Amino acid sequence: MIREKEPVLTTESNKNLLGGAYKQPNKSLISFINKVKKAKAIRREIKPWGFYSIILMSENFLIKYLFINPLSCTSKQFHHYRDEYHIVLSGVGYVSLGDKEYAIVKDHMIEIPREVSHRIENRSTSSPLEIVEFQIGEHLSDNDIVRLDDVYGRF
């Protein structure tokens, strides 16, 4: 698999790793993100790991609210036609990007470039993991999910 650019986890803890490219989400972005989970969903889909709601979509972007149940995870997957940006609303999770794993907490922002394998995991026994996902690209549907591994047997 050829990667055009490396995945980036933008948090205070790896500020030095990102150098001048680091930007912590500002207060107005965080305020907007917190309103996303209260917005009326265009569509809600139940998944084995929880659910997602589509909040806003247009030709080349889509905004989703992800609710990942305790002790659950998404499939290990990648996408050919879109990049994703995740901002954590609440909970503690772990994101596998390529062959690296990162802990994520509230207000962390993760960039997931197309063609990079990723999985989001909630290891908490009691608290959900809530994430706002921004998709940007040419093809924004579940048909662009290439599953590499799935604990629920979906391939």
Side-chain angles (χ1 to χ4, degrees), residues 7 10 15 30 41 60 67 80 82 87 91 93 112 118 123-124 126 128 142:
T10 53
K15 190 175 193 176
I30 294 302
N60 293 322
F67 184 97
H80 291 292
R82 71 177 183 241
I87 298 176
I112 304 171
H118 57 281
R123 297 179 188 166
S124 170
S126 59
D142 285 352

Side-chain angles (χ1 to χ4, degrees), residues 97-113:
L97 292 172
D99 59 354
K100 296 181 180 173
E101 183 177 85
Y102 302 93
I104 55 172
V105 296
K106 184 177 175 168
D107 297 343
H108 281 193
M109 186 165 61
I110 306 119
E111 177 184 350
I112 304 171

Side-chain angles (χ1 to χ4, degrees), residues 1-24:
M1 172 178 353
I2 298 173
R3 296 183 185 163
E4 292 181 19
K5 60 182 180 175
E6 287 296 310
V8 176
L9 175 68
T10 53
T11 69
E12 193 65 35
S13 63
N14 69 349
K15 190 175 193 176
N16 293 333
L17 176 70
L18 299 173
Y22 171 79
K23 288 189 178 182
Q24 183 172 359

Side-chain angles (χ1 to χ4, degrees), residues 110-124:
I110 306 119
E111 177 184 350
I112 304 171
R114 61 193 74 194
E115 304 289 335
V116 174
S117 66
H118 57 281
R119 170 180 296 186
I120 304 168
E121 186 176 356
N122 182 357
R123 297 179 188 166
S124 170

Side-chain angles (χ1 to χ4, degrees), residues 11-133:
T11 69
E12 193 65 35
S13 63
N14 69 349
K15 190 175 193 176
N16 293 333
L17 176 70
L18 299 173
Y22 171 79
K23 288 189 178 182
Q24 183 172 359
N26 65 33
K27 288 181 182 180
S28 50
L29 177 59
I30 294 302
S31 175
F32 169 76
I33 296 302
N34 284 317
K35 291 176 184 173
V36 167
K37 80 177 190 182
K38 297 174 186 162
K40 183 175 168 101
I42 296 170
R43 185 176 94 223
R44 181 175 160 151
E45 188 162 331
I46 304 298
K47 296 290 188 178
W49 45 262
F51 70 89
Y52 72 77
S53 298
I54 295 177
I55 303 303
L56 181 63
M57 61 188 216
S58 188
E59 186 176 340
N60 293 322
F61 75 89
L62 184 132
I63 300 174
K64 284 183 178 177
Y65 165 72
L66 308 177
F67 184 97
I68 302 173
N69 291 324
L71 301 176
S72 297
C73 65
T74 63
S75 58
K76 183 175 184 180
Q77 59 188 295
F78 68 91
H79 312 287
H80 291 292
Y81 303 105
R82 71 177 183 241
D83 301 310
E84 294 181 347
Y85 301 86
H86 296 181
I87 298 176
V88 179
L89 291 175
S90 72
V92 176
Y94 296 85
V95 175
S96 299
L97 292 172
D99 59 354
K100 296 181 180 173
E101 183 177 85
Y102 302 93
I104 55 172
V105 296
K106 184 177 175 168
D107 297 343
H108 281 193
M109 186 165 61
I110 306 119
E111 177 184 350
I112 304 171
R114 61 193 74 194
E115 304 289 335
V116 174
S117 66
H118 57 281
R119 170 180 296 186
I120 304 168
E121 186 176 356
N122 182 357
R123 297 179 188 166
S124 170
T125 58
S126 59
S127 298
L129 177 60
E130 296 177 287
I131 293 175
V132 172
E133 174 182 282

